[in-house]
Amino acid sequence: MVKFLISFLIVLSSVCAKDHYISQSGIGGADGSSAANARAVSWLNTSGNWGEGAGKVSAGDTVRLAGTISSPITVHGSGAAGKPITILFETGAKLSGPGLRGNWITVDTKDYITIDGGASGIIGGRGANLAGANGVIENTDNGTGRGNQVNTTGIFTRGCRHIIVRNLVIRNLYVRTDIEDMAGEGHGFYMDDDNRRGINNHLISNCHLNDMRVGVAWEYGPNTSDLTMNQVTTTRVNFGGRCGGWGAGVSGTRLNVTHCWIYDFLNWDNYSKNDKYHHDGFFIWAVSGATWAEANFVGNIIGPHYTTYPGGYNSATAGIFTQGGIAGPINIYNNTFPNDGKGGPSDGIVSLSTTGTGVFRVLNNTFIGGTGANQLNFSAMTGGKLTILIRNNIFTGPDRAIGSLFRNGVTINSSHNLGYRLVANPFSWGTGGDGGGISLASWKSATKQDANWITANPRLTETYRLVRGSPAIGAGENLSQYFSTDAAGNSRPASGPWDVGAFMFGEGVEIPPDSSAPRP
């Protein structure tokens, strides 16, 4: 009887779920029953049309956007566990206008909301192909020398929980082509918690973002948890992603940035006002008493085209950058960091610092190039304590492979790494600045680490896989206590040696996007 009742309630719930078709001005009978009879977006933006009741947008319902909509949308209701409110872009649907000042979609203090662009395949991150793209949020005339110079956000949430955004293209929010243009900017996703309600279980998956200042931004308050950016591409974006908090009582745990492709920051270079427009692939910070524990950067491609300015000059701060009260574990596994050599991030392709006590692991990554930059920088500052594991990485062609900005408070454990085409003094280990360049021999002597450092050509393909005969094959430590796959999703052996670098020997299929779960 109990099983029958549960089944009946599930069926009843599915029957009660409704579709609401929405267009810009309403068409046909305008009763929302189909795309040919869509209601006007003004109906959707009326708060009285949300909530329980006949004809209202309720938990479990789907709002289907049809055609081109030029008015912004405000979500006025919450879904529930197992019954989210879904905003779905029908075939060819878009939110589009010349230059919107404000947010295309606003969700304020609402929970269990899914926004789905309806793409038919992988459109973001590794293995992306925009041929399957569908839903779009865009400005058409906003940016340098264009008809508008305004700040636009694609999707803004405030104090929201259980948010999923997937399968969506957000483009041209601010097309910046002049390095001195400071007139406008844009955010693809801006998730704020300034009301300190607490945000958790946010997933941004299988999205493609181009031409805006920030791709994915979380500004967190107290008790934040489980924020995931998965299979996302950002290009011509100043910050691919960022997660930051300020002040006592502000805290968070579990950030996941997985299988993303973040590249091409050049149009955001600004030499005279670089303090505002330095750029990072992903920037996570906790300052003025805030704290963050656990972040996972797994299987990403970050680069190329960091900056055109030699030495960075803060035009590009880092590919991954941590600052402030960041505690461990911070896991950086299976990532590829290509740099085309035009200029390197000033603080390192990966720059890790903490004012707290943290364990950071940099394992099985592949670093390519790096003119004017360190490939890996780390520091413990103002009383912080940092333990850093550096294992199974490939460092090729950098000005500096591994450098410590400040070594006081740092415990280093480094082994089974490979370096190739290094400069004469590719390491630093000192206090009061970068410590100056030292040789491999001096690095080994000073740190008592990397006794088994490999100096050889890793023999990589154009996509940074290992070819037959590579000295990286079987030269790594088995790290299965931390993770079990390579960047393409191939299983690494549970016992015996591993290959060095982000990929195991042999080509493998890419991982499809996770579009439902809040964890990678």
Side-chain angles (χ1 to χ4, degrees):
M1 181 65 182
V2 173
K3 289 184 178 179
F4 172 80
L5 181 59
I6 291 173
S7 299
F8 174 76
L9 291 174
I10 291 173
V11 171
L12 180 63
S13 175
S14 65
V15 169
C16 292
K18 306 177 292 295
D19 288 336
H20 306 268
Y21 286 84
I22 301 295
S23 65
Q24 174 59 33
S25 302
I27 54 178
D31 61 2
S33 61
S34 67
N37 295 284
R39 288 188 169 107
V41 69
S42 58
W43 179 91
L44 186 68
N45 286 333
T46 301
S47 60
N49 293 323
W50 295 71
E52 297 303 318
K56 295 186 177 184
V57 181
S58 309
D61 287 1
T62 298
V63 175
R64 296 178 176 271
L65 305 181
T68 296
I69 295 175
S70 57
S71 299
I73 289 172
T74 299
V75 173
H76 288 289
S78 290
K83 298 173 59 179
I85 292 175
T86 299
I87 298 175
L88 177 65
F89 287 68
E90 292 289 286
T91 302
K94 62 173 68 174
L95 299 179
S96 179
L100 177 73
R101 187 186 299 275
N103 312 317
W104 276 108
I105 297 178
T106 299
V107 188
D108 192 342
T109 324
K110 302 295 184 289
D111 301 329
Y112 293 101
I113 304 296
T114 295
I115 300 171
D116 193 333
S120 60
I122 301 175
I123 63 170
R126 307 187 74 99
N129 185 343
L130 282 173
N134 183 54
V136 172
I137 297 175
E138 66 179 5
N139 286 341
T140 59
D141 191 22
N142 194 40
T144 306
R146 301 194 174 204
N148 300 279
Q149 291 82 41
V150 297
N151 297 336
T152 304
T153 294
I155 297 173
F156 173 81
T157 72
R158 177 176 180 263
C160 296
R161 303 163 182 162
H162 304 283
I163 301 295
I164 294 176
V165 182
R166 61 192 178 199
N167 309 324
L168 186 63
V169 173
I170 302 182
R171 65 191 181 195
N172 303 331
L173 296 188
Y174 196 90
V175 181
R176 185 175 189 264
T177 58
D178 184 340
I179 63 173
E180 298 299 326
D181 174 14
M182 304 289 284
E185 49 189 52
H187 291 72
F189 305 98
Y190 191 167
M191 289 77 112
D192 202 356
D193 193 28
D194 62 354
N195 60 0
R196 296 198 164 205
R197 181 172 182 252
I199 59 176
N200 58 60
N201 292 293
H202 286 197
L203 171 67
I204 312 299
S205 180
N206 195 34
C207 293
H208 187 281
L209 315 177
N210 66 268
D211 292 281
M212 61 198 70
R213 185 174 177 235
V214 183
V216 177
W218 284 287
E219 298 195 4
Y220 61 90
N223 304 313
T224 296
S225 65
D226 297 295
L227 310 179
T228 297
M229 175 179 171
N230 174 69
Q231 204 83 29
V232 174
T233 293
T234 73
T235 181
R236 299 188 299 279
V237 175
N238 191 65
F239 292 97
R242 68 184 192 188
C243 178
W246 299 263
V250 171
S251 63
T253 184
R254 287 187 301 277
L255 167 72
N256 305 292
V257 180
T258 57
H259 309 292
C260 297
W261 186 17
I262 300 170
Y263 70 102
D264 199 354
F265 313 88
L266 301 183
N267 60 316
W268 291 93
D269 274 351
N270 190 298
Y271 312 140
S272 64
K273 299 176 181 178
N274 62 294
D275 58 330
K276 182 176 182 182
Y277 280 100
H278 74 267
H279 30 259
D280 302 306
F282 200 99
F283 181 16
I284 175 173
W285 74 91
V287 297
S288 301
T291 60
W292 188 275
E294 189 180 339
N296 303 292
F297 298 90
V298 179
N300 304 289
I301 305 171
I302 302 181
H305 304 155
Y306 286 93
T307 178
T308 58
Y309 192 88
Y313 191 60
N314 284 335
S315 293
T317 304
I320 295 174
F321 187 74
T322 72
Q323 177 183 356
I326 308 295
I330 307 299
N331 299 312
I332 302 175
Y333 308 157
N334 290 336
N335 302 283
T336 306
F337 300 96
N339 190 351
D340 59 4
K342 293 181 180 179
S346 58
D347 285 337
I349 291 178
V350 172
S351 183
L352 309 173
S353 66
T354 180
T355 57
T357 299
V359 178
F360 290 35
R361 304 184 183 107
V362 182
L363 312 177
N364 277 98
N365 301 285
T366 298
F367 295 85
I368 306 295
T371 300
N374 293 340
Q375 291 185 330
L376 173 60
N377 254 342
F378 50 88
S379 60
M381 307 177 73
T382 60
K385 293 184 178 180
L386 171 63
T387 299
I388 181 165
L389 277 66
I390 309 170
R391 309 282 185 86
N392 294 1
N393 300 287
I394 293 175
F395 300 95
T396 69
D399 277 10
R400 192 73 55 78
I402 302 175
S404 174
L405 292 171
F406 303 93
R407 69 176 175 85
N408 286 349
V410 173
T411 300
I412 183 174
N413 192 321
S414 184
S415 67
H416 295 86
N417 299 296
L418 183 152
Y420 178 60
R421 290 193 297 110
L422 305 182
V423 297
N425 295 305
F427 301 90
S428 66
W429 183 246
T431 59
D434 69 5
I438 60 176
S439 67
L440 174 60
S442 296
W443 167 261
K444 290 180 178 181
S445 175
T447 65
K448 312 303 183 206
Q449 302 294 315
D450 281 310
N452 50 15
W453 182 278
I454 303 166
T455 302
N457 184 345
R459 301 184 64 187
L460 304 177
T461 69
E462 291 183 356
T463 55
Y464 313 116
R465 269 74 165 180
L466 305 175
V467 303
R468 190 177 303 278
S470 168
I473 297 173
E477 180 181 354
N478 189 299
L479 301 175
S480 54
Q481 61 183 308
Y482 302 120
F483 59 105
S484 59
T485 61
D486 74 352
N490 300 305
S491 295
R492 295 186 185 268
S495 61
W498 279 11
D499 298 343
V500 175
F503 294 96
M504 291 173 53
F505 170 65
E507 297 291 330
V509 298
E510 299 289 356
I511 295 177
D514 175 356
S515 59
S516 59
R519 298 292 301 276

